[in-house]
Amino acid sequence: MLTVFLLSLQTCAVDIFSAGCVIYYVITRGKHPFGGSLHRQANILSGDYNIDSLPMKDGYLRKSLIEQMIHFRPECRPSAKEILKHPFFWEKERQLMFFQVIG
């Protein structure tokens, strides 16, 4: 039973990782957070990513979300439910209030 749970957790974590890469790819119009095709697999295995190509608009929220989704350790990646609660998906007014409170 524990093995099934761990395999399920791993599968979900891989899906979250892939979704994070796709989000980055779409936002940056074709760039991959783990680099070009020649070094991509090695970079993924070592956790070496670069997301500096993200546009500055909403940059912090985008960066935060993508970094969480492509985290090197699968158990540290958020669930799909947690992702949908990320401030990136909030309305602009709620984001502004949030940053005013913590700022």
Side-chain angles (χ1 to χ4, degrees), residues 12-81:
C12 291
V14 170
D15 292 343
I16 296 299
F17 176 89
S18 298
C21 290
V22 169
I23 291 170
Y24 184 82
Y25 184 88
V26 170
I27 291 172
T28 61
R29 298 181 178 179
K31 297 186 182 194
H32 196 285
F34 290 92
S37 59
L38 292 177
H39 301 285
R40 187 174 299 147
Q41 188 65 30
N43 289 343
I44 290 170
L45 293 173
S46 66
D48 186 19
Y49 64 86
N50 182 338
I51 57 174
D52 292 340
S53 294
L54 286 172
M56 290 306 294
K57 183 183 178 212
D58 298 328
Y60 175 77
L61 294 177
R62 290 175 178 181
K63 182 178 180 181
S64 167
L65 176 63
I66 292 169
E67 282 182 326
Q68 290 175 37
M69 293 176 75
I70 64 172
H71 195 283
F72 181 71
R73 292 179 30 214
E75 67 273 10
C76 293
R77 296 177 197 148
S79 68
K81 286 183 180 182

